[in-house]
Every structure is written in C-alpha cells, then in structure tokens.
Amino acid sequence: MEQYEPDRLSPAQVAAMRRSFRNGRAALTRRSLLRASAGGALVAGGLGALTGCGIPAAGKTAGGVSADDYSAKEKTVNFSNWTEYMDVDESEKHHPTLDAFTKRTGIKVKYTEDINDNVEFFGKIKPQLAAGQDTGRDIIVLTDWLAGRLIRLGWVQKLDASNLPHAFANLAEQFRTPDWDPGRAYSYPWQGISTVIAYNKKALDGVEVKSVSDMLDNPKLKGRVGFLSEMRDSIGMTLLDMGKDPAKFTDDDFDAATARLQKAVDKGQIRRFSGNDYTADLTSGDFAACIAWAGDVVQLKADSPDIDFIIPDSGYITSTDNMLIPNKARHKTNAERLMDYYYEPEPAAELAAYINYVCPVDGVKPYLAKIDESAADNPLIIPDAAMAAKSHAFRSLSQKEETAYEEKFAKLTGA
C-alpha cells in the first residue's frame, strides 16, 4: 500500500496544475466554458494551499476503512460531482434521474457540484482521509489517475458486488480492467472521456488528415496544428502514432514521443499547446486540425457543419471519471444502490442524452435512441465495436515518473 506523505510538488507539477486550472479540464464545465472564469481564484487559493501543505504525515493507513453503515436508518446519500455533469430539467432546478431514484427508493440525494479540479478537490478532502475521518461524502467522482492514487492509499472502500448487479453486468468491456483497479473492486466509471483528432473542413481545404503523423509532418498545415496542454492526452496520442502502447511505454518511449513533438514545435508546425480554448481556434480555422476531447467535438459539430473528427487507425486515448466511496462514509449501501442505478439502461440513457460524454453502460443505445436518435448513433457517445477496440488507456505513473514526465512536458510546451 502506498505510504501517505505531505505533498511536495515539483516546479513542473505546479506548472502543470496551473495549466490545468487556467485552460484544461479544470477550466471546463461539462457542457460550457463557465469554469474558466473561476480559474484564477483556484490558482490563487487552491493551488497555494496544496503546495504549502502543512498536514502532518498520517503514518501507515488502513485500506477500505468503513464506518457503521446508517443506510437503513438514514435514507440519504451525499454525492459530490463535477459541475454540469448531471441531467437537469428546463427549470434548471431539478435533476430528473436523481428525482426518479428518490421516488423509487425513498433515498434522498444531497447532490453537490463541488469538484472543480482533481488536485484542488484532493486538497479539500485529504485532511479528513489522512486522519481517518468522515469527509461528509458517500460518493465522489474523480479522474482515473487520482482514483488510482486513493485506492493505493487505502482511502476508499471496497464495493459490495451484491449491491451492484446492474453495474457488474452492464459495464462496457473497454472499462472493466484499468491497471489501477483491475476488476473494478473499488470504482465504477461515471463517464468516459475520449481524446480524438478534430478538424475544420473549410480550413483544411482538401488537405487529408487521418493521423497524428499527418498533423505533424504535412507542410501544408504548418502553424495550423494544435495539441493539448494535458500531458497524458498529447503524449498518449503521439505514442500510439509511433506504434507504442500507452499502457506499457518506457522512459525511452516517452522521450521519443517528446522529441517527436519538439521537432514539430521547432519547425513551427504546431501553433500552440492549449486547454479547452482550442475550441475557439478550431471553429475560427486558426487550427485546421487539433487533438481534442470528444465531449467538446459533439457540441462543436452540432453548432458548425465544418467541424468533424477522425479516430486514427493507431487508436485513441480514453480516460474515465469514476465513482468511489471514501473511507468512513455513513451511507455505503445507499451509495452503492445509487451507483448501480446509473448502470440501468434507462437512467444511463437519460444522463448520456444530456451530458454527451462516453456512456460506460452496455445496452443503452436503444433507450438513448428513444430520446435522441442522433446521440444514439454517435460513436463519441456510444462507441461501436470498432471504435471501442481502438481505445487505449494511459498507464498509471509513479510519483517519480509523474515528476520527471511533467518536467519534460513543461519544457516542450514552454509552460
């Protein structure tokens, strides 16, 4: 089990987090750019608190520490999630799927949109978890790399499979065996996040883009190519293009991918590394092609006939945001019932129709088609077998690797 120690971040890691707070997934809401306006406050407050962490080491931690389960007596569950990551009705005051769950089970859901960024949220809950205390939350949603860290620290509870029959049966194959939680003993995906190549047809003006190599090597695209400021996405897509497996790469492989991108930077092929603000460059045509997040592409395609995407033959990177139950949660059984509910096809379809990210639930397509046929036919929301087969995860990193890789990536991007 990983030993917990106070976080002492390297300058490169701090720079990476600042990029994320300003422009990356930390700067996003799930369907808009609203979070970007809060970026400065997060950098000034959340990051400073994290890097100046004065929390004493907690010593050896026990894994999967449960509290007395009050689920039977207290018909409630406390659910912390990212902003704009749940269906809402036209009044924007109610969440239809949560209301339906409460009506069926009698369990009231206290739903809080208090996750703006993985690192900032980790800093918020870390003191209680390190001290073996209740965080006041029964479900938290974290991106795979941080979910894996909490599992290694022993700060989340092992799930009771008997309370998760739909989740066990309906979890899509591509999400079943992440290296950080094989067999999903501690987590289930809330949604998947795919990284693809997006392009502007008008800006390409007949130039063909089918791969990362096309983006990096075609002189007709000089100065009109964009990559993401998130290391795992840009390096992962480059590794795939080079025939390397992002789940198994070595230090030499990482260095080769970095050198490949550096060459493109040096010759002016890459216009810039960006966070979610790539959407403006892509729409305007300043980017003819770029590495993009599929959830954005769904929305951009709906707004502009010039925007489209491709999945390279070499594959694409997929990550997940995951539901976990922290140690000492008071309502574990209720939490598991809610997690399982979202693996029933009907509520899963309602959620997918609203948020447009990759649905991790098998069998949802016919239910989604009744709500939105175009969404059901969109492989960025419901991957078909061919697309799912091209999905690759970026492997878990040790703290040493994380520091070294972020330092190298920061030099590449000029951060």
Side-chain angles (χ1 to χ4, degrees):
M1 183 178 297
E2 182 175 316
Q3 177 71 31
Y4 170 68
E5 295 178 356
D7 290 304
R8 301 299 180 192
L9 303 180
S10 71
Q13 287 174 298
V14 172
M17 290 170 191
R18 288 187 185 277
R19 290 197 306 274
S20 182
F21 282 135
R22 286 195 303 266
N23 301 314
R25 291 185 55 214
L28 299 175
T29 64
R30 293 304 172 181
R31 293 171 62 85
S32 72
L33 300 179
L34 295 177
R35 193 179 298 160
S37 64
L42 287 175
V43 172
L47 185 60
L50 182 59
T51 56
C53 175
I55 302 168
K60 191 172 182 179
T61 58
V65 179
S66 62
D68 292 335
D69 192 347
Y70 293 91
S71 292
K73 296 179 180 179
E74 300 176 0
K75 291 292 186 178
T76 188
V77 60
N78 299 306
F79 186 177
S80 283
N81 205 348
W82 297 70
T83 55
E84 301 291 332
Y85 219 9
M86 180 66 75
D87 56 305
V88 297
D89 65 4
E90 292 183 1
S91 73
E92 298 188 356
K93 295 180 180 179
H94 300 284
H95 302 291
T97 56
L98 289 176
D99 291 346
F101 173 78
T102 297
K103 184 176 180 180
R104 181 202 296 181
T105 64
I107 299 170
K108 294 182 179 179
V109 182
K110 181 182 178 183
Y111 184 72
T112 308
E113 295 180 328
D114 61 345
I115 303 178
N116 291 301
D117 173 76
N118 287 288
V119 173
E120 183 262 349
F121 186 71
F122 180 59
K124 185 185 297 186
I125 63 174
K126 176 170 56 177
Q128 294 101 320
L129 292 173
Q133 299 171 351
D134 180 13
T135 66
R137 300 167 176 87
D138 301 305
I139 299 176
I140 55 177
V141 178
L142 300 175
T143 305
D144 43 21
W145 64 268
L146 183 55
R149 186 177 187 193
L150 262 64
I151 291 170
R152 293 193 301 273
L153 285 166
W155 287 357
V156 293
Q157 298 184 53
K158 190 171 184 178
L159 301 173
D160 184 345
S162 67
N163 291 328
L164 294 153
H166 296 96
F168 181 81
N170 295 335
L171 176 60
E173 185 63 35
Q174 74 180 99
F175 300 116
R176 284 187 175 269
T177 56
D179 65 351
W180 49 271
D181 187 16
R184 293 288 181 179
Y186 294 89
S187 68
Y188 270 96
W190 177 248
Q191 297 291 295
I193 304 159
S194 297
T195 304
V196 300
I197 295 176
Y199 60 88
N200 184 312
K201 300 174 190 177
K202 186 176 180 179
L204 282 179
D205 193 25
V207 176
E208 188 174 67
V209 173
K210 291 186 175 181
S211 67
V212 170
S213 286
D214 290 339
M215 295 171 63
L216 295 177
D217 298 334
N218 191 329
K220 293 181 179 180
L221 297 178
K222 183 176 180 178
R224 299 192 296 138
V225 168
F227 274 72
L228 290 168
S229 56
E230 300 291 341
M231 180 263 290
R232 288 168 175 81
D233 296 297
S234 288
I235 294 294
M237 292 292 283
T238 306
L239 285 167
L240 285 169
D241 187 72
M242 297 171 66
K244 301 297 182 179
D245 186 349
K248 300 177 181 178
F249 69 90
T250 65
D251 287 348
D252 288 342
D253 295 333
F254 184 93
D255 289 344
T258 303
R260 178 101 168 87
L261 291 173
Q262 185 66 61
K263 181 179 178 181
V265 169
D266 293 343
K267 67 181 183 181
Q269 188 77 3
I270 295 176
R271 184 182 183 92
R272 68 189 183 100
F273 291 83
S274 62
N276 186 255
D277 50 341
Y278 75 83
T279 56
D281 287 333
L282 182 63
T283 302
S284 69
D286 287 341
F287 284 163
C290 63
I291 303 300
W293 290 305
D296 293 332
V297 177
V298 172
Q299 297 299 314
L300 293 174
K301 276 174 58 67
D303 295 334
S304 172
D306 291 329
I307 306 302
D308 213 334
F309 75 98
I310 61 105
I311 302 297
D313 288 340
S314 59
Y316 65 102
I317 295 293
T318 297
S319 57
T320 50
D321 286 334
N322 309 273
M323 297 179 283
L324 306 104
I325 300 176
N327 285 353
K328 297 293 184 177
R330 286 176 63 90
H331 312 108
K332 182 173 184 286
T333 299
N334 291 345
E336 290 166 340
R337 291 182 67 182
L338 182 58
M339 292 167 69
D340 192 62
Y341 167 75
Y342 279 104
Y343 276 82
E344 296 179 24
E346 289 189 66
E350 290 185 55
L351 183 66
Y354 184 80
I355 63 176
N356 292 163
Y357 274 75
V358 180
C359 181
V361 182
D362 269 346
V364 78
K365 185 172 183 176
Y367 297 89
L368 182 56
K370 295 177 182 178
I371 304 170
D372 185 341
E373 191 169 347
S374 64
D377 291 334
N378 191 332
L380 297 182
I381 300 173
I382 307 293
D384 56 25
M387 182 168 174
K390 292 183 178 181
S391 172
H392 297 267
F394 197 95
R395 70 171 174 82
S396 298
L397 301 179
S398 67
Q399 185 69 17
K400 181 179 179 181
E401 287 176 325
E402 182 85 30
T403 299
Y405 293 168
E406 286 290 5
E407 286 177 350
K408 292 174 181 178
F409 191 70
K411 290 178 182 178
L412 168 69
T413 62

